[in-house]
Amino acid sequence: MNVKGRRILVTGSGGHVGKVLVGALREAGAGVIGTDHNHLPDIAADLTDEISTRMVARHVLKELGGLDGLVHCAALTGQGPGPFREGWVAPFEKQSVKAFEYSLRVQVISSFVLLQEMAPALKESGRGSVVLLGSIYGIVAPFMPLYEGLNMEPPLGYSATKGAIDQLVRHFAALLAPEVRVNCVTPGGLLRGQPEEFIKRYERQVPLGRMGREEDLIGPALFLLSDSSAYITGHNLVCDGGFTIW
């Protein structure tokens, strides 16, 4: 899974997953630029804004002198003090249209804009690879008994966004073939300080017996960015400990 010398953009590089993937890619010898909204990235980027997204994409291409890979991690997760938190991590009747729309913009619409700008460079690379980040809630419904009595409820906007990502991967894979491969890494629930009761309930549903960690996504991402996956495109690589096999 050699990515040495590859030029790669990682969005959401200040987040939990993005930070780990940037470190792993740099350790593997890739030339990486990270973008994020407000987490001291290499380049600040507001991916909800079309003009900002296009300008950042062009700047990255200029800085790297081309592009071999894109890893799109940016997302509204509801963890931490980010935008629209009050209308996101809330009961259904209190979830807001603004948070729903923000989620679509930061992940789905930005994917469209970034690839409009970067597809020519990825094609020219001769080994272009795109990895989008999905979620198990983009392919199955939330298991609501996990959340009962815990003041937790998965936002509909999150499921809708991740479901859209799953379909975008297939569309982009068909559109950009054969020069560029487009795939998805879909994590299950990641351990991030959830209530102990939730963790116990969740881990009982996982054949491998534990919640995921960000480090679990390093292997799948490196695999999909490297020539080891040269004959794989349009694929959703599910990394969930078996949660979705039931």
Side-chain angles (χ1 to χ4, degrees):
M1 298 192 292
N2 183 15
V3 294
K4 188 173 183 179
R6 305 260 172 129
R7 300 160 295 178
I8 299 171
L9 167 64
V10 178
T11 70
S13 61
H16 294 278
V17 172
K19 189 181 300 183
V20 167
L21 294 184
V22 166
L25 288 166
R26 285 178 173 159
E27 186 175 350
V32 181
I33 286 182
T35 69
D36 205 293
H37 183 58
N38 58 0
H39 293 282
L40 300 178
D42 300 318
I43 300 174
D46 179 4
L47 296 182
T48 67
D49 180 78
E50 178 185 354
I51 294 175
S52 172
T53 303
R54 292 190 187 279
M55 289 179 64
V56 165
R58 293 169 190 176
H59 181 72
V60 168
L61 292 175
K62 184 177 179 181
E63 285 288 308
L64 292 176
L67 195 69
D68 303 303
L70 166 64
V71 184
H72 194 8
C73 296
L76 178 58
T77 64
Q79 290 156 331
F84 308 118
R85 180 174 173 80
E86 295 304 316
W88 186 249
V89 183
F92 167 60
E93 62 273 11
K94 294 184 179 180
Q95 293 174 22
S96 73
V97 170
K98 286 186 176 181
F100 198 133
E101 182 181 51
Y102 184 94
S103 180
L104 290 171
R105 285 190 171 277
V106 80
Q107 294 179 80
V108 178
I109 296 174
S110 67
S111 298
F112 168 80
V113 175
L114 286 169
L115 282 174
Q116 272 194 335
E117 292 291 331
M118 294 181 152
L122 287 164
K123 288 182 177 181
E124 187 178 332
S125 158
R127 53 190 182 186
S129 177
V130 176
V131 177
L132 304 185
L133 264 289
S135 167
I136 52 173
Y137 285 169
I139 57 176
V140 298
F143 184 53
M144 299 309 293
L146 290 174
Y147 304 93
E148 289 177 359
L150 297 178
N151 196 30
M152 299 172 66
E153 188 168 325
L156 267 80
Y158 184 81
S159 296
T161 297
K162 293 304 188 179
I165 290 292
D166 190 39
Q167 180 58 21
L168 273 184
V169 165
R170 288 186 283 268
H171 193 124
F172 279 136
L175 179 68
L176 301 180
E179 297 95 341
V180 181
R181 298 182 299 106
V182 184
N183 293 288
C184 186
V185 173
T186 286
L190 300 178
L191 186 63
R192 289 182 187 162
Q194 295 94 337
E196 184 176 345
E197 179 59 29
F198 174 83
I199 295 170
K200 288 179 180 178
R201 292 176 187 177
Y202 189 94
E203 291 182 341
R204 283 198 295 265
Q205 304 299 316
V206 181
L208 294 187
R210 66 171 175 85
M211 294 192 73
R213 299 183 290 264
E214 283 77 12
E215 290 77 11
D216 293 322
L217 306 180
I218 293 173
L222 286 173
F223 171 66
L224 292 174
L225 288 167
S226 74
D227 292 341
S228 295
S229 58
Y231 199 54
I232 298 175
T233 196
H235 179 66
N236 188 348
L237 201 171
V238 180
C239 181
D240 69 348
F243 184 92
T244 56
I245 67 173
W246 305 116

